């Protein structure tokens, strides 16, 4: 029915697309089981991973798609489309579009992140930022003030050095705050 | 809700006798559901299989891989019965809403 080249194209398309559909079907199934058992997705996935033969399931889904696509293309060709036109049309129709799997996964990761994130971590990060910024501004402004020549010079244009010192201090403080944030994140990962 | 309705329709089609994937799409088109994307039916069949609602028989095909033929298993028939029960309830309420504004005794 189809040329050898077209058969290869169909096979390639099915190989690319079938896993997305399979993943979505598995996700829907997992959601149902999870709702019944109240277990988290990761726990169920770990359990199921031991029993299922992924490659065999994937191969079956791929074969299903090859047949489905071929049937559809045959239908289109009977309506007058060329082999290539039918392939393009079938590709367009059968390309996986749903974002359900990805968005569900993302949502799950966000929930897990906030579930495991300790409020004390947020507090510590905020306090580090605040403390470093205050210290930076104070030290920078003081160095600028003393370096410019004290009170008298401050009034006659020396304030600019105090201001520059404060700005540099603010930047250093923010930098140190970022560093402390990174340290906290790395510690949490361990 | 539409997703559930399409699943019910496909279950009903399968309940009428052994059928393969694209044949279901053709039946849907013949029923007037031309707007249903090919991908939707393919994905739905995978879900029915995953949820163990269908029995599958593989037969050789001229395309290469063996072709899957679907029939409903016991769980599939139960799911179909549940779908029709929901459908009857829904259609009765909608009819009531349309004719009497939702009041039973008018």
């Amino acid at each position: 029915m189809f040329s050898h080249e077209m058969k290869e194209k169909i096979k390639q398309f099915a190989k690319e697309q079938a896993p997305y559909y399979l993943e979505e079907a598995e996700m829907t199934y997992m959601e149902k089981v999870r709702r019944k058992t109240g277990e988290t997705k990761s726990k169920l996935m770990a359990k199921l991973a031991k029993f299922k033969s992924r490659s065999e399931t994937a191969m079956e889904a791929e074969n299903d798609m090859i047949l489905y696509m071929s049937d559809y293309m045959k239908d289109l060709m009977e309506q007058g489309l060329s082999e290539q036109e039918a392939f393009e049309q079938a590709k367009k129709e059968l390309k996986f579009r749903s974002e359900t799997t990805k968005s569900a996964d993302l949502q799950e990761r966000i929930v897990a992140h906030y579930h495991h994130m300790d409020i004390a971590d947020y507090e510590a990060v905020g306090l580090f930022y605040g403390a470093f910024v205050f210290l930076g501004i104070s030290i920078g402004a003081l160095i600028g003030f003393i370096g410019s020549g004290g009170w008298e010079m401050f009034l006659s244009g020396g304030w600019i050095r105090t201001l520059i010192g404060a700005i540099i201090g603010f930047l250093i403080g923010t930098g140190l705050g970022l560093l402390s944030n990174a340290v906290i994140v790395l510690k949490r990962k361990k | 809700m539409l997703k559930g309705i399409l699943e019910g329709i496909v279950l009903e089609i399968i309940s009428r006798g052994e059928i393969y994937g694209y044949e279901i799409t053709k039946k849907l088109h013949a029923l007037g559901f031309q707007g249903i994307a090919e991908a939707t039916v393919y994905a739905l069949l995978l879900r029915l299989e995953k949820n163990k609602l269908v029995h599958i028989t593989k037969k050789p095909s001229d395309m290469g891989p063996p072709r899957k033929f679907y029939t409903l298993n016991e769980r599939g028939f139960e799911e179909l019965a549940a779908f029709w029960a929901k459908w009857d309830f829904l259609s009765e309420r909608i009819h009531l809403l349309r004719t009497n504004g939702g009041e039973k005794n008018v």
Side-chain angles (χ1 to χ4, degrees):
Chain A
M1 174 74 197
F2 299 117
S3 64
H4 177 70
E5 193 194 343
M6 185 51 73
K7 277 183 185 168
E8 283 305 309
K9 278 185 184 175
I10 295 170
K11 222 169 141 180
Q12 186 58 36
F13 179 80
K15 201 174 180 178
E16 282 167 17
Q17 296 296 316
Y20 293 118
Y21 287 97
L22 187 62
E23 212 182 314
E24 190 179 59
E26 280 179 346
M27 180 69 82
T28 319
Y29 174 65
M30 294 298 298
E31 277 165 7
K32 276 187 184 170
V33 178
R34 197 160 22 141
R35 239 176 278 146
K36 275 186 188 168
T37 61
E39 286 193 69
T40 62
K41 182 190 151 201
S42 52
K43 271 187 193 169
L44 277 173
M45 282 301 232
K47 270 186 198 171
L48 281 179
K50 289 178 191 167
F51 302 108
K52 69 177 178 181
S53 163
R54 185 85 186 110
S55 58
E56 198 184 310
T57 318
M59 188 73 84
E60 261 194 26
E62 215 175 290
N63 285 342
D64 289 348
M65 180 166 267
I66 290 173
L67 285 170
Y68 195 92
M69 193 174 189
S70 305
D71 285 336
Y72 180 42
M73 280 175 66
K74 247 167 88 175
D75 210 13
L76 290 171
M77 285 161 76
E78 275 165 20
Q79 288 166 33
L81 264 68
S82 70
E83 189 181 79
Q84 188 58 37
E85 283 168 344
F87 177 65
E88 293 302 328
Q89 171 79 13
K91 243 172 77 174
K92 211 168 92 185
E93 288 285 331
L94 284 166
K95 196 168 181 208
F96 184 79
R97 290 186 194 94
S98 173
E99 289 292 309
T100 319
T101 311
K102 284 179 201 163
S103 58
D105 258 0
L106 185 65
Q107 205 180 346
E108 192 129 351
R109 283 211 298 273
I110 290 169
V111 169
H113 172 77
Y114 284 103
H115 182 70
H116 292 113
M117 185 82 181
D118 195 339
I119 195 78
D121 287 339
Y122 281 117
E123 244 184 271
V125 169
L127 287 170
F128 268 118
Y129 271 111
F132 281 126
V133 167
F134 273 121
L135 277 172
I137 292 174
S138 311
I139 294 168
L142 189 66
I143 292 170
F145 178 74
I146 294 166
S148 69
W151 181 246
E152 278 177 25
M153 287 304 286
F154 179 80
L155 292 174
S156 60
W159 61 270
I160 192 80
R161 291 191 185 183
T162 309
L163 182 67
I164 291 169
I167 291 169
I168 292 170
F170 172 78
L171 293 174
I172 292 171
T174 308
L176 288 170
L178 285 168
L179 271 176
S180 62
N181 197 351
V183 170
I184 289 173
V185 169
L186 286 173
K187 270 188 184 169
R188 268 177 38 77
K189 267 187 94 177
K190 280 179 188 171
Chain B
M1 193 171 79
L2 278 171
K3 228 180 188 176
I5 291 171
L6 183 63
E7 189 171 313
I9 296 167
V10 171
L11 284 172
E12 181 60 42
I13 291 172
I14 299 173
S15 78
R16 301 292 168 125
E18 198 178 57
I19 193 164
Y20 65 88
Y22 191 68
E23 221 180 334
I24 295 171
T25 308
K26 280 178 123 178
K27 288 241 178 195
L28 286 168
H29 287 174
L31 276 166
F33 297 111
Q34 269 94 354
I36 292 167
E38 309 297 325
T40 312
V41 182
Y42 171 77
L44 178 57
L45 289 172
L46 266 180
R47 274 206 306 276
L48 293 181
E49 192 184 337
K50 198 83 215 162
N51 292 333
K52 298 183 172 61
L53 300 174
V54 285
H55 174 72
I56 289 161
T57 315
K58 285 183 188 174
K59 292 180 185 177
S61 76
D62 54 356
M63 307 275 190
R67 193 185 285 286
K68 273 183 188 169
F69 284 80
Y70 303 89
T71 46
L72 283 198
N73 60 22
E74 205 179 321
R75 271 180 75 175
F77 276 111
E78 281 171 15
E79 189 81 10
L80 181 61
F83 165 74
W84 283 125
K86 268 188 224 163
W87 178 262
D88 288 340
F89 173 79
L90 191 68
S91 81
E92 186 215 336
R93 297 298 140 137
I94 288 175
H95 178 72
L96 209 63
L97 182 71
R98 195 175 186 188
T99 50
N100 300 333
E103 299 295 322
K104 267 193 171 175
N105 305 311
V106 177

